[in-house]
Each structure stands twice: as C-alpha cells, then as structure tokens.
C-alpha cells in the first residue's frame, strides 16, 4: 500500500477491486492465527473433552447400562439379582474409585461387591468418569496435590493418626486392617489401597461408609489421614507405628487407644440396636 498516497489516490474502481482481495486476505490471516493460537485454549478444552464424554457414553452403554440403565438412571438386572443405584450426581470420583478398584463392573451379586483386577484402562476409566460427571454435578476426582503425602511431616502423620482413630477405626480397625460389619458386609483392610482412592472413598462413601465431604472434613485433614495410612502401609511393624517419638508413654497410649476403640465399637453396636428396641411397643405385630 506504499504506492497509495493522498496525492495520488487510486480511482474508485481500482479501490473497489482492491477491497475484495484485502478482506479475503484478512479473513485468511484471522483464521490462521485462530488455528495457531486457540488449540491450547478454548477449542482444546472443548473438543477433546466432549470426545471423551462421547467415548465414555459408548463404554457405559456396553459395560454398565445393563445394570445401571442406559442413561445411568439405575435399575435391576439378572431377574433382580442386582439392584444398581442411579449414578446421576455421584460424580467422577465415585466412578474412578469403583472402577479403578475393580468393584465395577459388578459380576457376582452378594452382600458386598468385592475388589478385583480392574477391567478398564486408565483412559477408559477417565472417559467413563467424564461421561457420568457430564450427567449431573458431583464430587470431582481430587487433584494429585490433595493426596500427595510424600512430604508429610511426622507431626502431620501423628495428627492424621488422631483423626483416623476418631473417624475410621470403628470400622477399619485401629491398624487399618479392616473388620466385619453386620449382614455379611465388611470394611476392607486399607493396607493395599492408594492415596487417591483413600481420598475418593472419603469423598464418596461407598456402601456403609459415611461420606466425609470437604465441608465435614477439611481437605488438609484428609491429607493427614492419608499420610497416616501410608505410614501404616510402609511400617514394617504389623502392630502399627513404632511410636518412637512418644517415648515411654507409648504402651500406655496404645492401651488407651484400644480401650477407646473398644468403647467406640460397643457404642456403635448399642447405637445400631436402640431404634429396634424403641420401636417395639408401637409395632402391633410384635
Ligand atoms: C452386574 C451389575 C452391575 C454392572 C455391570 C455395573 N454396576 Fe455399578 N453398581 C452395581 C451395584 C449393585 C451397585 C451398588 C453397590 C454397592 O452398594 O456396593 C453399583 C454401584 C456403583 C457405583 C457407586 C454409586 C455410588 O452411589 O457411590 C458406581 C459409581 C458404579 N456402580 C459405576 C459403574 C460403572 C461405571 C459400571 C460400568 C463400568 C458399572 N457400575 C457396572 C451394579 C452394577
Ligand atoms: C461405618 C463404617 C466405616 C467408617 C466409619 C469408615 N469406613 Fe471406610 N469403608 C467402609 C466400608 C463398608 C467399605 C467398603 C465399601 C465397598 O466395598 O463398597 C470402606 C472402604 C474404604 C476404602 C476403600 C478400600 C479399598 O481397598 O478399596 C477406604 C480407602 C476407606 N474405606 C477409608 C476410610 C477412612 C480413611 C475412614 C475415616 C475417615 C473410613 N474409611 C471410615 C466402612 C467404613
């Protein structure tokens, strides 16, 4: 355009002939820059993600819909052998937990669906989780930083131990080795579970386990509990931590903890029976 000077303006015809190619070139340039700049941004977040959801939807239709229904609305299968819950709103964390521990897809009906070698690959689990999460909001898969306990201090592990004994021992035993629950159910041993699944179990509360949402139990408390369980897993002493730092009181402390644990167990047991006892006078059949 250096030839276009005010003193030598091109004729109107020349200018209108120039306009089309210039607009065309500008559009091409805009398109190119969009293509170059945007893939890591908006288009990148949208395209592959909806592709992943679509892939998850297909996997779900084949592997999960027979029990959970084609739209994850829940249902019965095998003449009612399985009553599968609705998955609307359970979130990506529940899917990741259930499928990565091999509990899902369920195979044999029973009091409790056991863990097994996972059937799906990491990518497929991510797709299934993305699909279920796309149906309704629910707990997301926690970021790795929230369960990374590689730098946990002894103090955090100790704190985690206190929280564990308050919130988890009643079912999982003070050493995390698991325990039986009524009606053929059980709380599994925590000796082989991963930090990510400890977090997700707390977040989603599988089976009888309560949900420890982030409002009920802060993420940093969850991380301390994970640090404690990981320390238990790594400890060579099957009785639990060496408690070296606690010095001569450690034995007494263990006795105290076990005593409290027993009291908690008894309290839970009594608590679970009270409603039946109380209801009896109202029930004509009894
Ligand atoms: C044979 C039947 C069956 C199949 C197949 C099956 N499920 Fe399930 N699913 C169940 C039952 C039954 C439960 C309830 C389990 C329980 O309470 O322990 C359940 C529970 C779940 C839960 C926990 C829901 C919650 O409230 O936390 C998730 C998530 C889940 N299934 C996902 C899946 C996915 C994903 C697939 C496919 C890969 C799948 N299931 C395949 C029967 C099935
Ligand atoms: C009321 C009893 C109860 C309490 C309290 C409880 N859990 Fe659980 N927990 C269970 C049951 C039952 C299961 C098995 C669920 C299933 O198989 O679907 C379980 C499963 C788990 C799993 C999965 C293990 C695996 O191998 O996949 C983890 C991890 C876990 N619990 C951690 C905890 C932590 C940490 C706490 C305390 C913050 C806790 N639980 C409190 C009953 C309980």
């Amino acid at each position: 355009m250096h030839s276009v000077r005010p003193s030598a303006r091109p004729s109107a015809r020349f200018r209108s002939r120039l306009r089309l190619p210039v607009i065309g070139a500008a559009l091409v340039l805009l398109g190119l820059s969009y293509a170059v700049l945007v893939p890591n941004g908006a288009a990148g977040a949208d395209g592959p993600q909806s592709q992943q959801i679509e892939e998850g939807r297909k996997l779900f239709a084949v592997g999960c819909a027979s029990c959970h229904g084609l739209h994850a609305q829940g249902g019965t299968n095998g003449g009612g052998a399985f009553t599968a819950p609705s998955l609307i709103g359970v979130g990506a964390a529940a899917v990741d937990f259930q499928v990565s521990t091999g509990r899902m897809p369920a195979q044999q009906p029973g009091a409790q669906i056991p863990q097994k070698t996972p059937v799906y690959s990491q990518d497929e689990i991510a797709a299934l989780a993305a699909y279920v999460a796309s149906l309704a909001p629910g707990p997301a898969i926690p970021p790795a930083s929230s369960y990374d306990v590689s730098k946990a201090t002894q103090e955090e592990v100790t704190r985690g131990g206190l929280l564990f004994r308050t919130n988890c021992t009643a079912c999982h035993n003070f050493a995390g080795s698991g325990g039986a629950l009524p009606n053929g159910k059980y709380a599994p041993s925590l000796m082989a579970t991963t930090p990510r699944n400890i977090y997700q179990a707390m977040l989603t509360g599988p089976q009888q386990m309560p949900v420890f949402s982030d409002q009920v139990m802060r993420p940093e408390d969850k991380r301390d509990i994970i640090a404690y369980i990981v320390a238990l897993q790594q400890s060579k002493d099957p009785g639990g931590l060496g408690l070296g730092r606690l010095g001569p009181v450690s034995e007494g402390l263990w006795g105290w903890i076990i005593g409290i644990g027993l009291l908690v167990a008894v309290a839970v047991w009594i608590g679970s029976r009270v409603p039946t006892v109380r209801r009896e006078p109202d029930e004509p059949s009894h």
Side-chain angles (χ1 to χ4, degrees), residues 97-98 101 103 112-115 163-164 167-172 181 185-190 192-194 197-199 201-202 206-210 212 217 225 229:
F97 172 79
Q98 297 282 344
T101 59
R103 286 179 168 87
Q112 191 162 330
I113 291 155
Q115 297 147 271
L163 288 164
F164 184 84
N167 296 290
C168 322
T169 356
C171 298
H172 288 283
L181 295 171
K185 299 182 181 228
Y186 56 90
S189 159
L190 303 180
T193 183
T194 61
N197 276 331
I198 302 172
Y199 202 106
M202 289 189 270
Q207 280 264 351
Q208 321 278 88
M209 181 164 156
F212 297 90
M217 181 187 274
I225 289 181
I229 296 173

Side-chain angles (χ1 to χ4, degrees), residues 222-243:
K222 289 195 180 71
R223 190 168 48 212
D224 289 352
I225 289 181
I226 295 169
Y228 173 74
I229 296 173
V230 168
L232 277 182
Q233 290 174 343
Q234 288 167 353
S235 140
K236 289 195 185 82
D237 178 0
L241 288 174
L243 291 180

